Amino acid sequence: DDIESENGDPSAMQQLRLRKILKMPSVLMPLFVVVLSGMSTQWYQPTLEPYLSKNYNISGFKASLFLIIDGAMYVIVSPFVGLAMDKTVHTRFLLIIGCAIISCSFFLIGPFYLPYGPSLIQIGIGLAVHGIGMAANFIGTLSILNDEMEKINGGSVEKATGMSTCLWITAESIGGFAGSLVGGSSYDIWGWDISCLIIASLHGIGAVLALGYRLCERKSVSEHNKCCNLWRRSNENPCE
């Protein structure tokens, strides 16, 4: 506030406001999940085709077809995720589920195999499961960011949509860049299984953090409601 009043510079006001927004846990949590999800979408883009061609003796064209499985599943599942959000599913619960699903999908794609050994069918199933997790995380995070931006902008839908979309796309782009870089590098250094294990573990951590944040949030809301009820009984309500 002091910087705004002293300089009177609109750009300084925007920078200060953005810094404040990015320090809010309710904004940082979904942005962190967006970065992780962006990493997962690009993690195997540079490596899946050569890995399948080398280990399963299929043509590059057939191997590249596997890259559309997660996107196709994302398109199919997204409407159902939206319907679930409209009814009963809490958006932050979606982040927990989404991170857990993506973590499981990379375990299926890489380090853990069914009893009969690695197969193209298992990899295809893992990629399809990944698409389900993408739908939960991408739609859930965008919804949360929209809600948070509306609170910050005093209920202005246009400003909230613009700001939340900007932050979401930026976080997804950062995640995509990091995913391609680290995914390709880890494949070259440690191989396919360890590379998949790394991103699976990161999403496992993301699920734990999202769960912890949700529990802390519920506790905070519960304590706030208790405080309000006590003050209402004394005919004074600081919650209004």
Side-chain angles (χ1 to χ4, degrees):
D1 295 336
D2 294 336
I3 295 175
E4 293 177 13
S5 60
E6 289 177 8
N7 296 338
D9 184 3
S11 62
M13 293 170 65
Q14 291 176 358
Q15 290 173 3
L16 181 63
R17 190 175 188 183
L18 183 61
R19 284 200 300 271
K20 285 183 176 180
I21 290 171
L22 293 177
K23 289 178 181 178
M24 297 171 59
S26 57
V27 174
L28 280 177
M29 186 66 242
L31 286 179
F32 176 68
V33 173
V34 175
V35 171
L36 284 181
S37 302
M39 289 178 67
S40 72
T41 59
Q42 297 298 319
W43 193 266
Y44 47 72
Q45 294 295 323
T47 58
L48 182 61
E49 187 273 329
Y51 169 75
L52 294 179
S53 298
K54 177 182 177 182
N55 291 275
Y56 296 94
N57 195 28
I58 60 176
S59 67
F61 172 73
K62 289 180 180 178
S64 63
L65 291 177
F66 279 79
L67 293 171
I68 68 174
I69 294 176
D70 58 348
M73 185 58 67
Y74 175 85
V75 171
I76 294 170
V77 173
S78 292
F80 297 100
V81 173
L83 288 173
M85 287 172 54
D86 285 340
K87 295 194 175 180
T88 56
V89 178
H90 195 283
T91 49
R92 284 175 173 78
F93 182 68
L94 270 180
L95 305 192
I96 302 168
I97 296 298
C99 286
I101 289 175
I102 293 177
S103 179
C104 291
S105 74
F106 275 93
F107 280 118
L108 276 175
I109 295 170
F112 294 107
Y113 302 107
L114 297 177
Y116 51 79
S119 69
L120 290 174
I121 294 176
Q122 179 176 334
I123 292 175
I125 293 172
L127 293 171
V129 173
H130 179 218
I132 297 172
M134 285 167 51
N137 276 357
F138 282 153
I139 296 174
T141 51
L142 187 57
S143 176
I144 291 171
L145 287 172
N146 265 326
D147 291 343
E148 294 300 323
M149 294 305 108
E150 280 189 32
K151 295 175 187 175
I152 293 169
N153 287 286
S156 173
V157 177
E158 287 187 8
K159 289 182 179 179
T161 302
M163 191 176 294
S164 61
T165 304
C166 175
L167 290 173
W168 191 94
I169 292 175
T170 301
E172 199 274 338
S173 298
I174 292 171
F177 170 76
S180 293
L181 179 63
V182 181
S185 301
S186 60
Y187 173 75
D188 283 340
I189 297 171
W190 296 298
W192 179 259
D193 288 351
I194 299 300
S195 177
C196 291
L197 182 61
I198 291 171
I199 188 64
S201 301
L202 288 175
H203 273 277
I205 294 171
V208 171
L209 290 177
L211 176 61
Y213 179 78
R214 175 61 182 148
L215 292 175
C216 290
E217 187 181 50
R218 287 186 64 179
K219 183 178 179 182
S220 176
V221 170
S222 176
E223 290 177 353
H224 176 76
N225 290 337
K226 277 185 182 179
C227 173
C228 290
N229 289 332
L230 288 173
W231 280 94
R232 285 192 187 101
R233 290 171 187 171
S234 61
N235 297 323
E236 295 181 24
N237 185 13
C239 304
E240 293 180 350

